[in-house]
Amino acid sequence: MTKLWHIALHDLRVTFTEKGIWLNLVVIPIVLIFIIGVVNGGFGGNGGTVWVRVDVFDYDQSALSAQFLDELRAVNANLALCPMEDDEENVCRYEDEAAMQTMSEEHAERRVANNVVNAVLVIPEGFGAAALNGQPVNLLYRSEEQPGLPGLALQAVQTAAQRMGAATVAARVGVDVYENSGLPVRFAEESEREAFQQAVYDRAGAIWNGLTETVRYTQSIPQESSGNSGFSQSIPGMGSMYVMFTVLAGTFILLQERKQWTLQRLIMMPVARWQVTGGKMLARFIMGMVQYGVAFSFGALVLGVPFGNSPVALLLVMMSFVTCMTALAFLLATFVRNEMQASSVVTLLALTLAPLGGAWWPLEVVPEWMRTVGHLSPVAWAMDGFSTLIYRGGGIADVIVPVVVLFAAAAVIFFFALRRFRYD
């Protein structure tokens, strides 16, 4: 065992004397963590709320259009209906006060195209009267969403429209039944008819809301990490990607040492072959843990991002992923024949498995089938573990599945690598 450690320490000394090691190990990962974190909402300063912004143009300005907007707010408290709900923190993301005052539909559509807001909703003139009289009315909704994947804003609009549609039908039917009931009492004036219709509408809406328990939710990040949600994604994500680059670089080392006959000379010495192989792999494992240490230390000490309440569980997720990548580096060394092949394969794997597994963006934002495919990547299992610890305050028991999957994958990969590996 001592010989194994000596081999690993020798490899680490050689690695840390290489030019550019600190650039690749520290500087570039930290810069990418910061940039990706900011892009994904770091320093958002929104108190932790994940807003769904909708530019609203209410040309009707009726009681019914106001009720429709209230229903939207009730369906999803994360909706920011602009400009009505803009605040001192500029939730609606207006360039300035003049931009808010002169906002047009064309400008709003550009804001959607530039991902400033999620959607534009236009309530046409005559909306309230048409709805109460049973006439068709079209709400205009524009967004960049895929047709088959309605976003939160569209779902809220559809739900509110469904509820309002049911209430208006009830109001219209109620008036018709009253007027055709044969009773001697009739509406003396049109205002009485409208008041009765509004009363039936209000009563129908109250009954509709009371039929079932309605799930109304807000989406937020933990209070202690408010404003750092982007970094909570980018730190484990970019950290995992650079762990792949760092650990898979072991493929180059094994190729070079075989080519330079270093491995062959080692096995001629009084050192067991498993000690030689184990020492090489241990060095890459330690490098991977150092890479994670750089990423998470930067997040905790510089950015102030909390990483859950279980350091042991966090360490287990890191160790399982680094072990899996170490095994993969060992296996790759049995397939590639030169440094150029190794460079191409390592780059391809890292830049494919990282985004596929949710290192660049959360898998929650992709379709269900993409989440399934994404879990072919070890990165996805690691990110599942990190997300459980960071966002949901999980512990060791909550990350058992991803940890076991990664260790099991590492064992299988090591098995095939050992069967294929040759020292000559």
Side-chain angles (χ1 to χ4, degrees), residues 136-147:
V137 58
N138 293 320
L139 292 171
L140 301 181
Y141 179 88
R142 304 183 180 101
S143 75
E144 294 289 312
E145 300 163 2
Q146 299 182 30

Side-chain angles (χ1 to χ4, degrees), residues 45-265:
N46 58 11
T49 303
V50 181
W51 292 110
V52 179
R53 298 171 177 83
V54 180
D55 279 340
V56 177
F57 294 87
D58 184 3
Y59 296 124
D60 192 43
Q61 296 294 320
S62 64
L64 206 63
S65 66
Q67 289 178 12
F68 177 73
L69 295 178
D70 288 339
E71 191 65 45
L72 278 179
R73 297 182 183 97
V75 171
N76 188 343
N78 286 90
L79 288 180
L81 304 180
C82 302
M84 296 83 74
E85 296 177 3
D86 196 40
D87 57 15
E88 295 179 355
E89 296 182 357
N90 193 20
V91 169
C92 293
R93 296 178 174 176
Y94 291 118
E95 296 90 337
D96 49 43
E97 185 71 19
M100 180 179 69
Q101 298 295 335
T102 60
M103 181 67 61
S104 64
E105 290 185 43
E106 292 76 15
H107 188 187
E109 290 178 11
R110 288 196 297 271
R111 279 160 54 88
V112 172
N114 294 329
N115 295 317
V116 177
V117 296
N118 299 83
V120 177
L121 176 65
V122 179
I123 302 176
E125 187 177 356
F127 165 80
L132 284 175
N133 293 325
Q135 299 173 356
V137 58
N138 293 320
L139 292 171
L140 301 181
Y141 179 88
R142 304 183 180 101
S143 75
E144 294 289 312
E145 300 163 2
Q146 299 182 30
L149 297 170
L152 294 175
L154 180 56
Q155 292 177 38
V157 170
Q158 291 173 335
T159 301
Q162 182 184 26
R163 292 181 181 181
M164 180 165 285
T168 53
V169 168
R172 190 172 67 253
V173 171
V175 171
D176 290 344
V177 169
Y178 183 83
E179 289 182 328
N180 298 293
S181 62
L183 295 174
V185 180
R186 292 289 184 275
F187 295 117
E189 298 179 1
E190 181 63 23
S191 60
E192 292 183 2
R193 183 180 187 279
E194 292 176 355
F196 179 80
Q197 189 175 36
Q198 184 65 47
V200 175
Y201 173 87
D202 293 339
R203 179 57 180 162
I207 294 174
W208 175 270
N209 289 332
L211 288 176
T212 59
E213 290 295 330
T214 303
V215 178
R216 293 172 181 169
Y217 63 92
T218 58
Q219 183 179 355
S220 63
I221 59 177
Q223 184 65 33
E224 64 271 17
S225 62
S226 295
N228 285 331
S229 61
F231 297 122
S232 298
Q233 163 68 26
S234 69
I235 290 167
M238 292 297 100
S240 297
M241 186 177 78
Y242 269 87
V243 163
M244 294 181 69
F245 279 117
T246 300
V247 175
L248 294 182
T251 304
F252 299 94
I253 294 175
L254 287 173
L255 282 174
Q256 290 173 350
E257 294 197 349
R258 184 191 293 144
K259 185 177 179 180
Q260 297 168 359
W261 286 80
T262 304
L263 282 176
Q264 292 85 334
R265 288 195 296 271

